[in-house]
Amino acid sequence: MDNSTRKLRTPPGIEKAPEGARSNGFEDYLSQFDPKVVVLSGRVAGQEFPLDQERMTMGRGPGVDVAFDDSAMSRQHAAIEYADQRFRIVDLESTNGVLVNGDLVYSSSLGHGDRFQLGTLQFQIVIEEQEESPEAYVLDLDV
């Protein structure tokens, strides 16, 4: 290992990427942005779900990361994935499809402000910049 690379410790619960695998920059992206899905309709309107993993599955469940009580939603309805420095939504062969900004899609890029619908529920992607913490200094006033 040369001086320009450093070894990072894998957090518990995260599978280590195989040796030689390329990172897609997701950790760097999360250090700069705070992406989330906001529910716009239904009984859970206003709830927010962070997009803090490279793939998040949504549906009625079981076996999804985020489950909703909506009979119009398939058990495993859609996945939101991070790839090529952007998010995209993919229909997981659902019965009622995925609408993005009003259009029926199989797969579509998602950016800040985009809206999508799964079953009867509507959602919006919100991507905000992380607030930078100012550098803090400890001053010794007894000098």
Side-chain angles (χ1 to χ4, degrees), residues 28-42:
D28 290 339
Y29 181 86
L30 289 181
S31 72
Q32 298 174 41
F33 299 99
D34 181 23
K36 57 190 158 198
V37 173
V38 179
V39 184
L40 299 177
S41 64

Side-chain angles (χ1 to χ4, degrees), residues 8 17 48 50-51 54 64 70 77 81 83 97 105 112 123 127 130:
L8 299 177
E48 299 179 353
L51 290 171
E54 291 181 51
V64 293
D70 181 354
H77 200 105
E81 303 172 336
V105 300
H112 176 73
F123 304 87
I127 302 173
Q130 291 278 8

